[in-house]
Amino acid sequence: MTEWFHETLYPSVRQSLRIDRIIHQSKTEFQDVLIFENEFLGRVLVLDDVVQTTEADEFYYHEMLSHVPIVGHGAVRSVLIVGGGDGGMLEEVLKHPVDKVVLVDIDGEVVDICRQHLPSVCGNAFSDPRSELVIGDGKEFVASTELRFDLIIVDSTDPIGPGEALFRRPFYQACHDILNVGGVIATQNGVPFFQAEEVTQTHRHLRSIFTHSGFFASPVPMYVGGHMAFGWASDHTNLSGIDEATIRSRLQSRSLETRYYNSGVHVASFALPTCVQDLLA
Ligand code: SAM
């Protein structure tokens, strides 16, 4: 009999993916983990019944949440990734001339499972000498670390379960306090069509803490509902005010191989649909 995975993120709308083969299924201290194969999508990572990433579409999300802030900043050398246990974000960040990337994920088992079963998503990122893996709560890490960063990427689960604290003001304030001058934070904020509150809540906090803040947007095919919103904020870098010629010239000096991201997409992602602008008003 054909088996289907039903995502239960929203109460009245569901997406279903055919399970062609279960690769891994377990319960960690923090979440239920499922990896299965789907004929079209390849391997699919699910945490607590919510799709996190698939082999087929991971590049949309990972490229946009890494390259937009890195190229927009222009001189990123040190990066903190909060969450991101599948390693896809780490792999994209390491394409840049960075000195150090610290990845803090609360769930070491998710990291091990993804390294074993999703090598096409993380590549060799975890064994790159510039990477440092910390297993711990991102909220506690940012509140206590002595390290300072040019960029913080919040590649978290949705604000349910362990990811909830990563959408609250104390977390954003602590991130602010560990950024270098010119430093930027970039966050995943869900799909505004279904998850408007992820945008409004983060917007309220970032705006009250940082001098500059805003959102950029991109489709991520398996996050149904249209555009996904990404938050950004900084005291000294206005990410939304950089023209395409500048982005293009910054890209010319690095040999960045991408499948979704380019200079045109970079600039266009800051043009927000009216219904998203209304959420920020
Ligand atoms: N792209 C994904 C999405 O938006 O659906 C996120 C992918 S990544 C797998 C999310 C990671 O966040 C998971 O590995 C989870 O363990 C981690 N995470 C959740 N809460 C966390 C916390 N408080 N501190 C650090 N990592 C956390």
Side-chain angles (χ1 to χ4, degrees):
M1 205 181 67
T2 309
E3 209 187 330
W4 289 82
F5 162 74
H6 305 287
E7 186 176 50
T8 54
L9 187 55
Y10 310 122
S12 61
V13 176
R14 280 191 177 179
Q15 87 168 320
S16 299
L17 314 180
R18 198 179 69 211
I19 300 178
D20 293 330
R21 184 160 75 101
I22 293 197
I23 304 293
H24 176 94
Q25 193 160 22
S26 63
K27 194 174 181 61
T28 73
E29 186 188 342
F30 298 99
Q31 47 214 341
D32 292 327
V33 186
L34 169 66
I35 297 179
F36 65 87
E37 227 157 50
N38 170 279
E39 185 183 11
F40 186 83
L41 300 168
R43 293 192 176 188
V44 179
L45 170 67
V46 176
L47 297 179
D48 285 342
D49 292 327
V50 178
V51 174
Q52 301 293 307
T53 197
T54 81
E55 284 186 314
D57 78 334
E58 57 93 12
F59 63 95
Y60 285 73
Y61 173 86
H62 292 132
E63 289 184 10
M64 287 303 283
L65 189 49
S66 57
H67 304 320
V68 170
I70 291 176
V71 180
H73 176 290
V76 168
R77 307 302 304 192
S78 53
V79 181
L80 170 66
I81 300 172
V82 178
D86 53 63
M89 196 66 69
L90 183 61
E91 193 192 29
E92 291 304 320
V93 169
L94 289 168
K95 290 180 178 174
H96 294 272
V98 291
D99 300 326
K100 190 170 182 65
V101 188
V102 178
L103 185 148
V104 181
D105 197 292
I106 201 166
D107 199 334
E109 281 186 64
V110 167
V111 175
D112 291 342
I113 293 162
C114 291
R115 288 182 78 168
Q116 187 182 349
H117 296 297
L118 291 175
S120 69
V121 173
C122 61
N124 294 322
F126 286 107
S127 33
D128 189 295
R130 295 169 294 167
S131 307
E132 183 184 332
L133 173 64
V134 176
I135 300 303
D137 187 339
K139 179 189 63 163
E140 284 163 22
F141 180 86
V142 298
S144 59
T145 183
E146 310 250 295
L147 297 172
R148 295 294 177 263
F149 300 94
D150 297 320
L151 172 64
I152 299 173
I153 297 176
V154 188
D155 181 12
S156 64
T157 44
D158 286 295
I160 315 159
E164 203 196 335
L166 308 181
F167 290 78
R168 293 187 182 277
R169 196 177 198 283
F171 171 72
Y172 294 129
Q173 181 65 56
C175 287
H176 170 274
D177 297 347
I178 59 167
L179 282 173
N180 289 325
V181 173
V184 172
I185 178 173
T187 59
Q188 80 86 0
N189 288 95
V191 172
F193 182 70
F194 283 118
Q195 298 163 300
E197 245 184 54
E198 286 193 25
V199 173
T200 51
Q201 188 181 326
T202 296
H203 177 56
R204 206 169 47 244
H205 296 320
L206 293 182
R207 193 174 52 168
S208 69
I209 296 169
F210 292 86
T211 310
H212 306 285
S213 67
F215 287 81
F216 56 102
S218 165
V220 178
M222 293 318 294
Y223 299 156
V224 288
H227 290 86
M228 169 153 211
F230 301 103
W232 68 270
S234 174
D235 274 349
H236 305 98
T237 304
N238 183 2
L239 270 201
S240 64
I242 307 168
D243 62 29
E244 192 181 343
T246 305
I247 299 298
R248 206 179 305 121
S249 97
R250 287 180 187 172
L251 283 173
Q252 265 157 13
S253 61
R254 18 188 119 189
S255 50
L256 190 63
E257 278 184 27
T258 56
R259 288 190 284 164
Y260 184 78
Y261 173 84
N262 57 45
S263 60
V265 162
H266 180 123
V267 176
S269 70
F270 287 90
L272 298 177
T274 306
C275 55
V276 177
Q277 285 179 7
D278 288 348
L279 291 176
L280 309 180

